[in-house]
Amino acid sequence: MPTADTPLAGAAPPASAVAEDEAPGPGIARAGHPGPDPEDASPVADAPPGDWAPVPTPHGLFRLRPVVLPRDLALLTAWMNDPEVAAFWELAGPPAVTAAHVRPQTEGDGRSVPCLGLLDGRPMSYWEIYRADHDVLTPYYPARPHDIGVHLLLGGGTDRGRGVGTGLLRAVTSLILAHRPYATRVLAEPDVRNVRSVAAFLRAGYRKDRELDLPGKRAALMIRDRAPTSPA
């Protein structure tokens, strides 16, 4: 099952599929598994990722575009069948396999939003931005209201192994915190075996909070706090 691993290497779409510092792999997050309702803003109250302005990165101008099926299905399926991505996302197979993973999100209530990442207009990564406090992840970690989770993968081998994943993680995390004012942190749960993904999150300003035994994997809970944590 997919995990919060970041396929930052290879054709990939929550580490080989990740850049040098990233690895392919999603997380266990799934749309349609609500947790406790937040006390204030609804999960779809703020501007969706598709409305976020493009941001400059060291690698080019980056923006998120929500996935549209069936238009994007062939591209996503190709990424999911990349061996480096498939090792962590576990979605290799015909288009129906990818569609079964993505469609509940595109047709859901907005708590999980699948997006293509475009670098200078070129689709090159897959992202899932989701409400972690409304997810099946919640029994496994001390969730806070409005926690935001992220899964990602880099789809092309030329984008892996040269720091692209780290740069994009920084950009997307900043976008999330800017557009989700109630969120105090952003998190991810890459497979602990996906050392490049874990390293990419660390370089992007995340910290490893703990390890979690999740269905199908042992994960590193990576957290990026909105404000620095005060020393104990």
Side-chain angles (χ1 to χ4, degrees):
M1 116 187 265
T3 68
D5 301 307
T6 311
L8 303 181
S16 160
V18 267
E20 69 196 12
D21 28 33
E22 309 114 33
I28 67 167
R30 290 289 185 281
H33 294 82
D37 288 329
E39 296 179 358
D40 13 30
S42 77
V44 294
D46 301 316
D51 291 343
W52 299 351
V55 292
T57 76
H59 308 283
L61 191 65
F62 181 80
R63 72 180 180 91
L64 293 169
R65 176 171 65 73
V67 168
V68 174
L69 298 180
R71 180 188 65 189
D72 300 320
L73 184 57
L75 177 62
L76 292 177
T77 299
W79 289 350
M80 292 301 182
N81 279 276
D82 180 286
E84 297 182 40
V85 175
F88 293 101
W89 284 73
E90 300 180 359
L91 292 174
V97 174
T98 299
H101 173 76
V102 176
R103 183 168 287 114
Q105 299 176 74
T106 61
E107 297 179 356
D109 62 3
R111 292 179 181 179
S112 183
V113 182
C115 296
L116 290 180
L118 279 62
L119 198 58
D120 290 334
R122 172 178 62 90
M124 46 72 66
S125 55
Y126 173 68
W127 301 74
E128 293 174 349
I129 298 171
Y130 66 96
R131 282 290 297 270
D133 61 325
H134 285 256
D135 190 74
V136 295
L137 179 63
T138 54
Y140 300 95
Y141 85 107
R144 296 179 186 173
H146 307 287
D147 274 352
I148 302 295
V150 61
H151 300 150
L152 75 129
L153 70 86
L154 298 187
T158 58
D159 292 312
R160 302 170 189 165
R162 56 190 188 92
V164 174
T166 293
L168 299 188
L169 273 172
R170 290 192 187 110
V172 171
T173 301
S174 295
L175 284 170
I176 291 171
L177 293 172
H179 289 275
R180 296 293 180 262
Y182 293 101
T184 61
R185 58 190 186 171
V186 181
L187 57 87
E189 9 77 53
D191 193 307
V192 295
R193 300 170 300 164
N194 197 341
V195 293
R196 286 188 296 174
S197 182
V198 173
F201 279 102
L202 289 171
R203 283 191 286 269
Y206 286 69
R207 59 182 171 83
K208 182 179 177 181
D209 182 78
R210 67 190 71 191
E211 293 189 0
L212 306 173
D213 287 315
L214 303 180
K217 73 172 181 180
R218 185 165 180 81
L221 179 63
M222 309 300 296
I223 294 177
R224 164 66 158 82
D225 298 293
R226 178 181 291 277
T229 302
S230 301

